[in-house]
């Protein structure tokens, strides 16, 4: 990095793009990055109001924030999302690929539509944003990308063949992108959460929830903030020598 670039980096706050940031883990990630002084682009798929609330909460931290609607599974919309971040803030220094969905069902009953829908958002959506933010970060010769995978992509889970395939794919993509981008100062890591208390897991029955809690070594479901702290670490300069890794944030359930 030249002296001028260094000075520039010190002058301008860094910018993060967080996908699916209107609620849950994405919301917690947007907030912790804002607390750490990054400008935040809050991506949402369809509900504008919660995204605007996240923007307002980020601005309370003294940074700038922008809500951008984009379906990350659509290549052109993902491209436009990254472009709008560059247009507004001049750079994309951190990308958090968080947007994700589930369409659970046993293997023999799963419809091709449910398989494709999950792979399109979780895997292709991550690819789309990774590709366009990666190109921008290569130009900048700096950047940090954190992909939200899942322990289900590491150890599997009955009833989630589509989701497990998508998240295992995200892990393979993370390692490959890390190898391709490292020489130009861009790091790519994944966080693999266990069971986190969000809208995604709220459909669990009380019985299933209690059973799960008993399996977690630390004795409770995770909170969005537990995941956000790991993401913030991997996105920060404290993780400057870490790339291509998968950090499990699962209370020890996968051990
Ligand atoms: P959530 O359902 O509360 O949030 C997901 C967010 O992604 C929502 O805001 C949703 O609107 C957005 N989204 C969905 N499709 C989108 C699209 N095509 N384009 C843009 N945004 C889109 O779920 P949660 O729990 O916060 O999940 C966040 C990430 O963490 C997901 O990738 C999920 O797979 C992953 N994860 C969650 C776990 C959990 O136990 N909650 C465990 C492991 C991983």
């Amino acid at each position: 990095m030249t002296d001028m670039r260094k000075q520039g980096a010190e002058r301008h706050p860094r910018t993060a793009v967080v996908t699916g940031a209107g609620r849950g883990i994405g919301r917690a990630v947007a907030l912790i990055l804002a607390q750490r002084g990054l400008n935040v682009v809050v991506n949402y798929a369809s509900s504008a109001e919660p995204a605007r609330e996240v923007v307002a909460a980020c601005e309370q931290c003294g940074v700038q924030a922008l809500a951008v609607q984009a379906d990350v599974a659509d290549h052109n919309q993902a491209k436009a999302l990254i472009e709008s971040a560059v247009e507004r803030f001049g750079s994309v220094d951190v990308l958090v690929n968080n947007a994700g969905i589930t369409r659970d069902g046993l293997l023999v009953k799963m419809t091709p539509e449910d398989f494709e829908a999950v792979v399109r958002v979780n895997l292709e959506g991550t690819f789309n944003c990774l590709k366009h933010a990666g190109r921008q970060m290569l130009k900048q010769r700096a950047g940090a990308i954190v992909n939200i995978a899942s322990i289900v992509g590491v150890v599997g889970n009955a009833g989630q063949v589509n989701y497990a395939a998508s998240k295992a794919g995200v892990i393979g993509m993370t390692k490959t992108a890390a190898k391709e981008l490292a020489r130009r100062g861009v790091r790519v890591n994944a966080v693999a959460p266990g069971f986190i208390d969000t809208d995604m897991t709220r459909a669990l029955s009380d019985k299933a929830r209690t059973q799960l809690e008993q399996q977690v070594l630390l004795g409770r479901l995770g909170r969005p903030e537990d995941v956000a702290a790991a993401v913030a670490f991997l996105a920060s300069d404290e993780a400057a020598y870490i790339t291509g890794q998968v950090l499990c944030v699962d209370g020890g359930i996968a051990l």
Side-chain angles (χ1 to χ4, degrees), residues 20 22-26 43 45 70-73 98-101 121 148-150 163 167 193-196 198-201:
R23 66 179 195 214
I25 294 170
N43 161 250
D71 172 359
V72 295
N98 164 81
I101 60 168
V121 175
I148 307 297
S150 168
Y163 186 76
K167 294 299 188 177
F195 287 88
I196 311 300
T198 68
D199 287 356
M200 192 173 265
T201 45

Side-chain angles (χ1 to χ4, degrees), residues 17 25 59 69 75 80 90 92 136 142 161 243 253:
V17 176
I25 294 170
E59 287 171 345
Q69 190 280 328
H75 190 87
V92 175
Q136 172 66 24
V161 69
T243 197
I253 196 173

Side-chain angles (χ1 to χ4, degrees), residues 47-246:
S47 306
E49 198 41 45
R52 283 199 206 103
E53 282 168 22
V54 176
V55 164
C58 288
E59 287 171 345
Q60 290 279 312
C61 302
V63 299
Q64 296 182 56
L66 177 71
V68 178
Q69 190 280 328
D71 172 359
V72 295
D74 181 300
H75 190 87
N76 290 329
Q77 291 185 38
K79 185 169 183 266
L81 167 66
I82 302 301
E83 284 171 354
S84 59
V86 176
E87 204 170 292
R88 170 72 186 267
F89 296 118
S91 66
V92 175
D93 306 285
V94 171
L95 167 68
V96 182
N97 275 309
N98 164 81
I101 60 168
T102 52
R103 296 274 189 282
D104 295 352
L106 292 172
L107 167 65
V108 294
K109 290 189 175 169
M110 182 160 294
T111 62
E113 291 75 21
D114 281 349
F115 188 87
E116 278 173 30
V118 168
V119 168
R120 255 178 62 71
V121 175
N122 298 5
L123 188 58
E124 266 189 76
T126 298
F127 161 73
N128 291 337
C129 297
L130 188 55
K131 172 177 165 152
H132 293 292
R135 179 176 287 161
Q136 172 66 24
M137 289 174 180
L138 284 177
K139 276 195 229 157
Q140 296 168 193
R141 293 187 167 266
I145 296 168
V146 183
N147 297 323
I148 307 297
S150 168
I151 52 150
V152 170
V154 181
V155 298
N157 193 29
Q160 291 199 303
V161 69
N162 49 359
Y163 186 76
S166 72
K167 294 299 188 177
V170 166
I171 290 172
M173 206 188 295
T174 299
K175 293 179 182 180
T176 302
K179 287 188 175 183
E180 290 192 17
L181 304 181
R183 290 296 166 112
R184 299 249 206 124
V186 181
R187 298 182 299 101
V188 189
N189 291 288
V191 167
F195 287 88
I196 311 300
D197 196 7
T198 68
D199 287 356
M200 192 173 265
T201 45
R202 241 154 246 164
L204 288 171
S205 66
D206 285 350
K207 192 177 159 208
R209 180 175 286 257
T210 309
Q211 278 173 353
L212 264 172
E213 280 168 359
Q214 283 165 357
Q215 287 170 40
V216 180
L217 295 186
L218 292 175
R220 63 168 173 87
L221 295 195
R223 302 181 193 105
E225 292 73 21
D226 293 320
V227 180
V231 172
F233 165 66
L234 287 171
S236 76
D237 286 347
E238 288 175 314
Y241 201 54
I242 302 177
T243 197
Q245 301 304 304
V246 182

